[in-house]
Amino acid sequence: MSSINKALADVCRFYIEGFREMRLGKTLWSIILIKLFIMFFILRLFFFPNFLNSRTSTDDEKHDYVGSELINRSQTGV
């Protein structure tokens, strides 16, 4: 085993043992993961609808719509 592989294995073992032994950290990590789930999945459903599907139906129309919007917004400075 080369020294780089050994160092990588030591770092991985360090983190695995650290996560295995923590008590409060597991609770905090679960809170963080729940908050991330709420932010990226639940809020996306309500506040970020799929705008292109409401405007166009095919991929070619989506490409044309995005291209024309980029050109229009760059010319008007919006």
Side-chain angles (χ1 to χ4, degrees):
M1 185 183 271
S2 71
S3 62
I4 294 175
N5 288 341
K6 185 179 181 320
L8 185 60
D10 289 341
V11 169
C12 289
R13 193 174 312 112
F14 173 77
Y15 279 105
I16 290 170
E17 289 297 320
F19 281 115
R20 189 176 295 149
E21 296 298 323
M22 75 168 84
R23 299 289 175 248
L24 178 64
K26 288 181 182 178
T27 305
L28 294 175
W29 274 108
S30 63
I31 291 171
I32 290 169
L33 293 175
I34 290 169
K35 288 174 76 172
L36 286 173
F37 175 77
I38 290 170
M39 285 190 322
F40 287 111
F41 295 102
I42 305 299
L43 291 178
R44 183 175 182 258
L45 293 174
F46 296 111
F47 295 110
F48 303 108
N50 197 341
F51 185 74
L52 281 179
N53 283 345
S54 65
R55 300 281 185 198
T56 61
S57 59
T58 65
D59 284 341
D60 289 335
E61 290 175 354
K62 289 178 185 178
H63 293 237
D64 294 338
Y65 180 77
V66 170
S68 65
E69 284 297 311
L70 286 172
I71 291 170
N72 291 340
R73 291 179 186 205
S74 68
Q75 291 173 349
T76 59
V78 174

